[in-house]
Amino acid sequence: MAAASHRGGVPDRRLVALVAYDGLQPLDLVGPHEVFAGANSVLDAQGRSDARYDLRVVARAAGPVVCESGLRLDAPAALDSLDRTTIDTLLVPGGDAARVVRTDDALVRWVARASARSRRTVCVCSGTFIAAAAGLTDGRRVTTHWARAGQLAARHPATEVDADPIYIRDGDLWTSAGVTAGIDLALALVEDDCGAEVAQVVARWLVVFLRRPGGQTQFAAPVWSEPVERAPVRAAQDLVHADPGADLSVPVLARHAGLSARHFARLFHAEVGMAPGRYVERIRVDAARRLLETERAGVAAVAARCGFGTAETMRRAFLRQLGVPPDHYRRVFAVRSA
């Protein structure tokens, strides 16, 4: 199959190869597919001369693949049908199976070869595991689903894993957070190719943000760490978890642990991996999140109950931890009663 032809330096098409396999998360593939297809429609409607996206779903063998939810998707072509083709965008979706598929040597080798002849490689969610197995993430900064980031970092220490961004671009490698974040990433690709106007029109038709506020941390489950093994630090953690709104200064925690403030601070950081103040802030943010989701109390009242003192102090903590202020978090995540 020949590479894309050009007229006056403008490619006739942008070949997007979407890799399918049994056990993939369907939205990881279908979401970006619909963004690219929507961009084609917008370009046609505007009479633009930009290259259209040529969307190809490919799998180990042509035919149906069964997604992790049981949905069946058709892959009209086999991977090797693109072996002599210049690919504009190689897209690798994720899903629970991605952490198993990464051990499929034939698929991983194909991804490595295809990436080498692609203008850019795009990984959605845990598709980053497959790219990492192919050696594409070494020395790169990437993201993945917040619940899988620690596992990815542990398996691939040469990869810098950042669990918060919705998507990351590191040169020709683009990676996204989980599931619907593939739509955010695809919109960014369309904006990069065709401009913000086209991407904005597609986003409006899909009823999504062109640029989602905040990072994926705001969607993550609250992080209540398991207590550490050593009794003094565990006692301090228990106190923090029992009442996040109490006085949890280092001197108070140290007295509860039966240690001097200096020794306690050093031991806590060594055992938990962060300073006591940062840990307390994280637990207070998690407590405030639950109140903002489930209760009608004002932001100032929530701040007081969770130990922040003032609404402004809580706002700054939310911006540090989640990337969005408390009022925005409540608008998005509050559970509305009937």
Side-chain angles (χ1 to χ4, degrees):
M1 187 178 295
S5 60
H6 292 67
R7 294 192 301 269
V10 177
D12 291 327
R13 57 191 172 85
R14 296 184 174 98
L15 176 58
V16 180
L18 303 104
V19 180
Y21 53 86
D22 287 333
L24 68 85
Q25 160 55 253
L27 273 175
D28 286 3
L29 187 150
V30 174
H33 184 286
E34 293 307 289
V35 171
F36 292 126
N40 284 344
S41 297
V42 173
L43 293 171
D44 288 339
Q46 295 181 348
R48 295 266 297 267
S49 60
D50 306 58
R52 303 307 190 261
Y53 295 102
D54 178 8
L55 302 170
R56 311 274 188 92
V57 179
V58 294
R60 286 284 298 273
V65 297
V66 181
C67 302
E68 65 179 20
S69 62
L71 179 69
R72 294 170 71 88
L73 293 178
D74 185 49
L79 297 175
D80 59 13
S81 68
L82 299 182
D83 279 351
R84 297 184 179 181
T85 303
T86 300
I87 300 170
D88 180 84
T89 303
L90 175 65
L91 189 143
V92 184
D96 282 343
R99 292 173 292 153
V100 177
V101 171
R102 70 183 185 85
T103 63
D104 182 337
D105 292 340
L107 176 62
V108 169
R109 286 196 301 268
W110 185 89
V111 168
R113 294 195 306 270
S115 177
R117 63 176 184 277
S118 300
R119 179 169 68 93
R120 61 192 174 195
T121 299
V122 176
C123 302
V124 179
C125 191
S126 50
T128 310
F129 281 80
I130 298 174
L136 304 179
T137 65
D138 289 353
R140 302 288 193 99
R141 177 171 170 261
V142 303
T143 192
T144 189
H145 193 289
W146 59 265
R148 307 298 182 210
Q151 187 179 45
L152 180 65
R155 284 182 176 176
H156 301 279
T159 299
E160 180 186 350
V161 182
D162 187 342
D164 186 54
I166 298 296
Y167 64 85
I168 289 175
R169 178 183 186 178
D170 187 333
D172 60 357
L173 179 65
W174 301 63
T175 55
S176 85
V179 196
T180 60
I183 294 174
D184 300 75
L185 176 54
L187 286 168
L189 297 170
V190 168
E191 182 175 8
D192 194 57
D193 294 339
C194 308
E197 181 185 359
V198 173
Q200 183 65 268
V201 173
V202 176
R204 286 173 175 165
W205 276 103
L206 294 176
V207 197
V208 296
F209 290 108
L210 177 58
R211 295 179 188 84
R212 193 188 314 212
Q216 67 168 327
T217 305
Q218 63 187 303
F219 299 94
V223 182
W224 288 84
S225 302
E226 290 292 327
V228 299
E229 293 184 2
R230 299 187 65 172
V233 172
R234 186 171 66 246
Q237 285 182 302
D238 290 344
L239 184 65
V240 174
H241 289 200
D243 187 5
D247 179 358
L248 300 173
S249 62
V250 169
V252 169
L253 294 175
R255 284 197 300 272
H256 191 74
L259 301 170
S260 70
R262 180 176 296 180
H263 181 50
F264 168 77
R266 285 199 302 265
L267 184 62
F268 190 98
H269 193 284
E271 291 282 325
V272 180
M274 66 182 72
R278 182 182 170 197
Y279 184 84
V280 169
E281 180 180 271
R282 188 179 69 166
I283 299 305
R284 283 174 170 167
V285 166
D286 286 347
R289 287 172 62 180
R290 292 198 306 278
L291 292 178
L292 292 170
E293 291 169 7
T294 60
E295 298 191 11
R296 294 179 178 273
V299 171
V302 171
R305 287 174 60 182
C306 294
F308 290 105
T310 68
E312 177 59 20
T313 300
M314 186 169 81
R315 187 186 74 85
R316 292 175 182 173
F318 265 64
L319 290 173
R320 280 191 295 270
Q321 298 282 339
L322 308 180
V324 294
D327 53 352
H328 170 88
Y329 185 87
R330 167 170 270 169
R331 285 196 301 271
V332 174
F333 295 102
V335 178
R336 306 299 180 188
S337 58

